[in-house]
Amino acid sequence: MRALPCSPASECVDTRMVPVDVSDQLGRIFSLQFPYTDDTLRDRCKALTRLHDWHKPGEWSCPTQPRASHRLRPVIARRGRGGRRRLQADAHSPSARTRHPRCGVLGTSLHVNQPIDAPSRLGFNCTIAVITALYGGYDTLHSYSRSFQARLGRQEREHGVHTCWFAFVDAASVPDLSASEIAQAKAAFNTTALDGGSWVQSGGWNLVMLPEGQMTATLPEHNQLRSRLPKMMAHCVLAHAKTMLYIDAKLHLSEPKSLWTMVEQLKPASLWTIQARGDGPGSAWVAPRHPYRSSVRDELVCLYLSGIISERAFAQLRAYHADGFPSELSEYAGGPGLVEGEWHARDLQAAESTALANEWFDEWWRWREHNTRDQISFIYAAWRMGFLPPQNQTQPRSSGLKGFAHFNPHLSVTAAVKSCDAQPE
């Protein structure tokens, strides 16, 4: 250690750092910030990261943004609510994904000027984006308690990840917001990298209030149709998170560990910080098997007998049959099977997940006037693209790509699932 000369002497006194430190290594932190040593560091932020991670892994990061000189500099940060850092300028990451050209079909219905998971908005680098959607005020957005959020934060630190939660809502679905909060939430989608654009929060959710675009505004079931856009096409507004978990607004997680159970199915242990089951190569997309029905035909008949769809929906099934789709076969009989649509997890870094989402949306939109439900169009899209699990032998073509995988929970996913008493003969 050495003394730092002070000049002019009339305005200050010489200072000296002594080789003493405390358990939190505050001495080392000071020495990295002030020129008391002869050490030269090319990247002080990385040095601080290594110093910080011994205590709370994953909490410290060094986002950077390009300058006119094309050099990278650390983004200045300050602490926000919950102890996380608020970034003053947008963090540009070399791994940030560009918006897929297919997203242009959505127009203004699902468009933001800055990705919703941009570090400048959140104050941290998000690893897992949790998405839900609720429109029309037919229900209210579930609020996660501070205790839940505290447990989630502890588990995030254990796994070395950050989650970010986004609810695509309208004002009717979040009645507790004040008029000023609603105005701020509606303005946030149009933010720029310069003004920060932090989200209005409610019960752990970042509220995304987008103006309704022409795609759904004039349709009779516009709120139901509108909620499908984030469910299928959220990759259009996410550029930084590696994983996405969609959950229906009706599905409430009682414990944070449910989240890990869902997303851990995507990757094997060697590629994921959370222990995963199985030794396979992982999948780009995971969704749960339907707890009651095992084929697309059974689901469609059930929906019809329950009065949820009309006879017009069977035109979709006839078209699929003409294409060779075996709607009557379960997964166990070598067919496509059936998923429950209340949640799915996807690897946002896998091109297959984006391709499947785009295909799902196109197929669902094609039949929206016949059937607003989306499970049938999803499983057909996965079948047509050859993304179903290997045990299915009825795929139109073989695929060596990472595709879709069923998830069979230990406990049946029964909450808010519509049962069908009358089964087909």
Side-chain angles (χ1 to χ4, degrees), residues 359-376:
E359 185 76 10
W360 181 21
F361 171 78
D362 289 345
E363 193 59 37
W364 169 77
W365 189 251
R366 172 189 173 196
W367 293 101
R368 68 188 183 281
E369 296 181 358
H370 295 74
N371 180 15
T372 59
R373 307 282 286 196
D374 55 42
Q375 293 121 302
I376 293 174

Side-chain angles (χ1 to χ4, degrees), residues 97-379:
R97 297 177 300 278
T98 57
R99 196 167 191 255
H100 194 278
R102 191 71 185 96
C103 298
V105 72
L106 303 176
T108 60
S109 298
L110 194 65
H111 179 75
V112 291
N113 282 346
Q114 290 291 316
I116 61 174
D117 59 339
S120 61
R121 291 179 177 271
L122 298 171
F124 59 93
N125 296 314
C126 179
T127 312
I128 302 171
V130 182
I131 303 292
T132 195
L134 183 62
Y135 291 105
Y138 69 88
D139 201 352
T140 56
L141 182 66
H142 178 68
S143 179
Y144 286 97
S145 66
R146 291 185 178 181
S147 175
F148 178 96
Q149 295 179 54
R151 294 195 300 275
L152 175 64
R154 288 195 296 269
Q155 293 176 23
E156 286 180 350
R157 290 191 291 272
E158 291 173 2
H159 294 306
V161 299
H162 277 315
T163 64
C164 49
W165 297 54
F166 298 101
F168 290 78
V169 296
D170 54 10
S173 301
V174 197
D176 293 337
L177 291 185
S178 66
S180 61
E181 288 174 323
I182 292 174
Q184 182 182 348
K186 288 182 176 179
F189 85 96
N190 200 31
T191 188
T192 66
L194 297 177
D195 61 21
S198 60
W199 298 108
V200 174
Q201 295 186 340
S202 176
W205 296 100
N206 296 294
L207 303 182
V208 185
M209 290 190 180
L210 301 179
E212 184 166 11
Q214 291 301 312
M215 175 172 280
T216 59
T218 59
L219 300 178
E221 300 293 334
H222 68 105
N223 283 322
Q224 183 180 7
L225 296 172
R226 190 182 181 191
S227 68
R228 296 297 195 274
L229 301 185
K231 178 177 183 178
M232 301 176 185
M233 302 292 282
H235 60 277
C236 294
V237 292
L238 294 167
H240 299 269
K242 297 178 180 179
T243 304
M244 170 184 153
L245 173 66
Y246 169 82
I247 57 176
D248 274 354
K250 67 187 179 185
L251 184 63
H252 306 157
L253 303 183
S254 58
E255 289 292 335
K257 64 182 180 181
S258 301
L259 183 150
W260 315 122
T261 301
M262 294 170 175
V263 301
E264 72 180 3
Q265 306 301 314
L266 290 169
K267 305 231 176 164
S270 59
L271 299 178
W272 189 243
T273 56
I274 306 169
Q275 182 66 32
R277 301 186 185 94
D279 298 320
S283 297
W285 195 298
V286 174
R289 293 183 177 94
H290 200 288
Y292 300 127
R293 291 171 290 284
S294 58
S295 72
V296 166
R297 183 201 63 181
D298 289 356
E299 174 71 1
L300 200 66
V301 171
C302 174
L303 294 173
Y304 173 70
L305 294 176
S306 300
I308 298 175
I309 60 173
S310 68
E311 292 182 6
R312 298 182 66 193
F314 288 94
Q316 181 182 14
L317 195 62
R318 288 192 292 271
Y320 289 174
H321 282 171
D323 196 29
F325 179 70
S327 69
E328 76 284 0
L329 293 182
S330 70
E331 175 197 358
Y332 304 105
L338 182 67
V339 299
E340 166 56 44
E342 65 182 11
W343 71 266
H344 70 260
R346 54 174 114 164
D347 178 1
L348 293 172
Q349 296 179 302
E352 296 84 8
S353 77
T354 300
L356 179 54
N358 292 337
E359 185 76 10
W360 181 21
F361 171 78
D362 289 345
E363 193 59 37
W364 169 77
W365 189 251
R366 172 189 173 196
W367 293 101
R368 68 188 183 281
E369 296 181 358
H370 295 74
N371 180 15
T372 59
R373 307 282 286 196
D374 55 42
Q375 293 121 302
I376 293 174
S377 55
F378 172 79
I379 205 70

